[in-house]
Amino acid sequence: MLSVIIPSYNEEGNVEKTASVVGKLLRENGIDYELVFVNDGSSDRTWELISGLAVSDSRITAVNFSRNFGKESAIFAGLEVAAGEACVLLDCDLQFPPEVIVEMYRIWEQGGVDIVEGRKNSRGKENPLYKMFSLFFYKLIGRSSGLDMQAASDFKLLDRSAVDALNKMPERLTFFRAMSSWIGFNTERVYFDVADREIGESKWSLKSLVRFAVNNITSFTSAPLHIVTVFGVITFIISLILGIDTLYNKFWGNSEAGFPTVIILQLLTSSIIMFSLGIIGYYISKIYEEIKRRPRYIIREIVKKDDLNQGESNGK
Ligand code: UDP
Ligand code: MG
């Protein structure tokens, strides 16, 4: 069976369409499936709709979070709840073309491939600033972690063995896209074009994107710490030159001329110390967050038809 995991946050306009489109497609292709909708603390009617779907269709499972935990948490909740031999992640807005699921499934079905990775041909409609920013972000992560992240997406099909490996990873601050590459396994790629979102708006604000990038950079690489070291070396060289210059002025020149040097040195070092402390502080806050061992998410309820029937028969 194939589990399709669909994180949904304020997607009242999309859930029903997504459920019927994906369900129809998989039935037509003779693929046994289940749909796992994870309601990520929506403030609209999303939960009402998906729990309704779960009651009427035994192939649909609806998971409800107690609040908005973010897409990452929704993905990992879906992976934990999913029962299929393979799981595929899908956005509720159908920006990932569902037909590609069938293509991925066929590759997986033949055996030998554990992960089928969807890679973006084009990134769809995006603002140029966002494009530049994401290019830089994935370059930095890619360079420092050795994972090729440039055209990566959350659209991936994972074999049960890969899902179990991910479920075992203990960290709280997850980054599905990178973690699912990090675990290794035989990976094959399929390419797709990102469609435009038809209903509703993108759930990402500039602020949430910056937070997402900074979070993932600090939880996936320690590159910023190395930048601090490089800065340290550079400052050291500069202070050496300025130090010699100051001494030269003191003995053979006008000692008053040394004042600017002192000021420059002070400014330089103090600013770099500040900067370094900032970065170190950030990592400490990560350690703090991880050490709390909080759950990644809290599920308020799960609606599944099988469970409902069982509950009824048990009650009788
Ligand atoms: N999403 C979520 N929790 C959030 C934000 C988004 O579960 O806090 C889901 C959303 O419902 C959608 C998917 O993640 O199914 C992708 O979100 P969106 O389309 O807003 O992102 P974009 O396509 O703009 O990157
Ligand atoms: Mg989208």
Side-chain angles (χ1 to χ4, degrees):
M1 183 180 68
L2 175 71
S3 301
V4 184
I5 298 164
I6 310 167
S8 320
Y9 175 52
N10 293 344
E11 301 279 9
E12 59 180 0
N14 284 315
V15 280
E16 278 171 331
K17 186 178 159 219
T18 304
S20 70
V21 168
V22 177
K24 185 161 167 271
L25 178 82
L26 294 175
R27 277 193 301 274
E28 275 170 3
N29 283 281
I31 299 172
D32 185 23
Y33 70 93
E34 67 165 348
L35 303 181
V36 181
F37 280 96
V38 182
N39 172 39
D40 184 12
S42 304
S43 52
D44 63 1
R45 289 178 57 240
T46 303
W47 173 246
E48 219 176 300
L49 294 174
I50 61 177
S51 54
L53 286 172
V55 169
S56 61
D57 186 341
S58 62
R59 291 184 192 251
I60 296 178
T61 302
V63 178
N64 199 14
F65 276 2
S66 57
R67 65 167 168 89
N68 178 252
F69 280 94
K71 188 185 177 188
E72 284 293 320
S73 298
I75 291 175
F76 278 84
L79 288 174
E80 208 124 319
V81 171
E85 282 85 55
C87 296
V88 66
L89 268 304
L90 186 72
D91 276 4
C92 199
D93 53 10
L94 293 184
Q95 280 191 287
F96 299 158
E99 310 81 62
V100 179
I101 297 178
V102 178
E103 196 184 326
M104 289 172 156
Y105 184 85
R106 296 288 173 235
I107 294 174
W108 170 78
E109 205 178 28
Q110 282 163 17
V113 176
D114 305 307
I115 298 178
V116 188
E117 186 190 359
R119 289 181 81 85
K120 296 170 183 167
N121 272 330
S122 63
R123 296 187 57 101
K125 248 191 235 150
E126 260 171 14
N127 125 11
L129 194 76
Y130 175 74
K131 227 170 215 166
M132 229 169 64
F133 177 72
S134 76
L135 196 79
F136 169 75
F137 167 65
Y138 286 117
K139 270 252 156 67
L140 180 66
I141 292 218
R143 274 274 177 88
S144 45
S145 62
L147 308 170
D148 179 9
M149 301 285 305
Q150 207 66 67
S153 68
D154 291 335
F155 193 19
K156 281 189 184 185
L157 183 142
L158 308 166
D159 181 71
R160 180 45 49 193
S161 51
V163 174
D164 288 342
L166 278 177
N167 284 342
K168 271 198 210 113
M169 290 176 62
E171 63 246 59
R172 304 296 101 179
L173 302 162
T174 56
F175 184 26
F176 174 73
R177 221 168 290 180
M179 283 165 69
S180 54
S181 303
W182 184 90
I183 53 171
F185 290 98
N186 284 338
T187 304
E188 188 129 321
R189 292 174 172 176
V190 294
Y191 290 84
F192 68 91
D193 290 307
V194 178
D196 292 334
R197 180 185 259 276
E198 281 167 14
I199 300 162
E201 285 185 344
S202 174
K203 306 295 178 291
W204 295 98
S205 62
L206 184 65
K207 198 176 137 208
S208 66
L209 271 174
V210 171
R211 199 186 314 125
F212 177 80
V214 173
N215 260 334
N216 291 325
I217 289 171
T218 47
S219 42
F220 238 81
T221 97
S222 51
L225 284 178
H226 303 312
I227 296 173
V228 176
T229 323
V230 173
F231 269 124
V233 172
I234 294 171
T235 342
F236 181 69
I237 293 169
I238 293 173
S239 11
L240 219 61
I241 295 167
L242 285 178
I244 290 169
D245 179 61
T246 314
L247 282 177
Y248 181 86
N249 273 335
K250 185 167 167 62
F251 292 117
W252 291 284
N254 186 347
S255 81
E256 258 165 23
F259 267 105
T261 324
V262 174
I263 292 163
I264 288 167
L265 266 177
Q266 284 232 329
L267 283 176
L268 216 62
T269 40
S270 57
S271 60
I272 285 167
I273 288 171
M274 295 281 214
F275 184 65
S276 320
L277 279 179
I279 295 174
I280 292 167
Y282 207 90
Y283 277 89
I284 291 176
S285 76
K286 292 269 140 167
I287 296 171
Y288 175 65
E289 273 170 63
E290 288 286 354
I291 217 116
K292 282 192 279 192
R293 287 267 161 263
R294 289 225 174 116
R296 284 177 195 148
Y297 49 81
I298 297 166
I299 294 176
R300 209 170 133 238
E301 61 204 303
I302 298 182
V303 176
K304 209 177 167 183
K305 203 176 181 188
D306 300 345
D307 297 349
L308 288 177
N309 291 341
Q310 246 170 34
E312 267 168 26
S313 54
N314 287 347
K316 273 171 199 163

